[in-house]
Amino acid sequence: MISSGAPASLLSAHLRCIDSRSSCVFRPAACKSSHRPTRHISRKRTVSPLCAVNKDEGQLTVQSPGAALKRLQTRLPGGQNDSLPPQDAPQGDSAPDWRLVVGLCAAVSLICSIDRASISVAIVPMAEQYGWSDSAKGAISSSFFAGYTITNLVGGYVATKYSSKIVLGAGVVLWSLFTIFTPTAADLGFMLIPLCISRGIMGAGEGVAFPAISNLFSNWVPVRSKSRSLGLAYSAGQIGNIVALGTSPLLINNFGWKSAFWLYGTLGLTWMLAWVPLVPDQPPNKTKALQGGSGNVEVSSKAEKGVESLSDVPWKRFLNSKALWGLIAVHCSFGVGPLVCLSWLPSYYSDEWGLDVQKSSFLSGLPWALSFALANLAGWSADTLINKKILSITNTRKLMQGIASMGPATCLTALALQPSGPDGGSLVVSAGLLTATLAIGGFQAAGYGSNHQDLSPKYSGILFGLSNASASSAGAIAVFITGVLLDKTDSWSLIFGAVAVVYALGFAGFAALGSGELQNYDD
């Protein structure tokens, strides 16, 4: 006996069922998909994915294609096949694998960091050539974050409403062109105004990058692979810092400081040659939400509904969200710590220890190599803890963030208490503590770095824009104040001690308010 859970027309078009002692065969005449696995219930009976067996009543029940797809996935080895697309996704050669998107986003994260970090090395010979003070250097470095902050907010919304691919590509072109223009802007002089404007526009281009990437990942990447994918994208930025800090001295010594900006600016334009033809404007799962863990591809009406206008965004609910405020608190602390270190470490090694550009850049780049490794380790570890249900998402995020925040706070406190300079200090100890500070911070990729998508896959790009804009503002202010304090006090211990306090306070906010649970911002 067969009871139907699908229309009669579907049965006549797609199924040929024999009695319960024989087989029930799924025969989609028009379907060319290779996914036709069957399962032997007994030695004499084979049941298709569209047929469910009621053992108590001895019945075969014909299911809808959606329900059958869920049953099919649970039969796959490991519970889920990452490469199985949603029902409405383009298949075959027309749909690039989600891993390709992750790889290209990691590559652009690397390029983004190269273009941003290069000035931290180049500013040393630039300051010698133009006679800049520490305050002037701080103003130039912080001007980047003025544009960066604005487009973090705009980029998150635009990437959610329109195509994240186009938003990211436009940002890459903008920041690449103004990276190339940086030497010309510096030559113009006029009280640093052209250079600060140029750096601000460059920052505006880079500001859309991570909100767009966050939104791309929420639509492309399976949930069970989110932490490791985000870890790879974020940690690729650390490799970009290494490349910039490692190659800039070679370019500066052999071709002059202007060559670094000219060369690095072409990298993003080259990346566009792969991005434009290989990635579609909209993800294949535009109307689906990939759910990991259970091994199912489930429809999520909240995830598929787009944001048509700014009035559709639940801004009031964001402001009342304790989880979001906890996330913003810790993100701001990482806007201060790493950015102050990235912007000022070459100057610290040059001024305090008398190292030349090449040696100071090597010591400044070493921490980012270790940070890359630890960020990826954190991503895989977090996914394992969550997927195996060893810890909840909330506790996993707080564990990873606790390591990422309190480790650097401890190292910087120790550094602030150390004698500085060759007269009584140790370069090995100082470099070791700074290396540990930035390396351990890589665990943030599985902490707050993955938390936006925990709170709301639908609004992840906007949430990232909000928190990153706040962090960028905090970082810009901190980078500028660092220059002013150094001009007035010449005390690096003061700087390191203050940053340690910021790290600790940021984690305290996340520990008290943070959450890894899905927030119902629309309800």
Side-chain angles (χ1 to χ4, degrees), residues 227-229 231-233 235-236 371-381 442 445:
S227 294
R228 69 193 71 170
S229 298
L232 177 62
S235 63
S371 179
F372 170 82
L374 291 181
N376 283 281
L377 172 64
W380 282 88
S381 299

Side-chain angles (χ1 to χ4, degrees), residues 82 98 221-230 383 387:
D82 282 353
W98 62 268
V221 181
V223 171
R224 71 188 188 119
S225 300
K226 286 283 176 68
S227 294
R228 69 193 71 170
S229 298
L230 287 165
D383 280 339
N387 294 335

Side-chain angles (χ1 to χ4, degrees), residues 350-423:
S350 176
D351 297 343
E352 201 74 1
W353 297 97
L355 302 184
D356 60 24
V357 170
Q358 190 161 350
K359 291 179 181 178
S360 65
S361 296
F362 171 77
L363 291 176
S364 300
L366 180 61
W368 305 109
L370 297 176
S371 179
F372 170 82
L374 291 181
N376 283 281
L377 172 64
W380 282 88
S381 299
D383 280 339
T384 300
L385 292 172
I386 293 170
N387 294 335
K388 293 184 179 294
K389 302 186 184 305
I390 298 172
L391 289 177
S392 67
I393 297 176
T394 297
N395 289 335
T396 298
R397 298 294 180 230
K398 290 183 178 180
L399 172 63
M400 296 298 166
Q401 191 56 54
I403 298 171
S405 295
M406 298 313 296
T410 302
C411 292
L412 287 174
T413 300
L415 182 60
L417 299 175
Q418 290 286 325
S420 186
D423 293 337

Side-chain angles (χ1 to χ4, degrees), residues 61-138:
T61 301
V62 179
Q63 298 181 307
S64 67
L69 180 59
K70 296 180 183 179
R71 286 172 53 80
L72 172 61
Q73 286 184 284
T74 60
R75 301 178 191 178
L76 297 174
Q80 176 171 336
N81 183 349
D82 282 353
S83 63
L84 184 64
Q87 297 173 35
D88 65 342
Q91 300 183 26
D93 294 336
S94 63
D97 190 275
W98 62 268
R99 296 173 185 84
L100 172 63
V101 176
V102 172
L104 286 172
C105 287
V108 84
S109 174
L110 182 148
I111 295 169
C112 180
S113 292
I114 290 175
D115 291 347
R116 178 170 53 188
S118 58
I119 198 167
S120 65
V121 179
I123 204 167
V124 176
M126 291 170 74
E128 293 177 357
Q129 177 177 334
Y130 297 110
W132 295 335
S133 65
D134 284 335
S135 296
K137 290 192 289 184

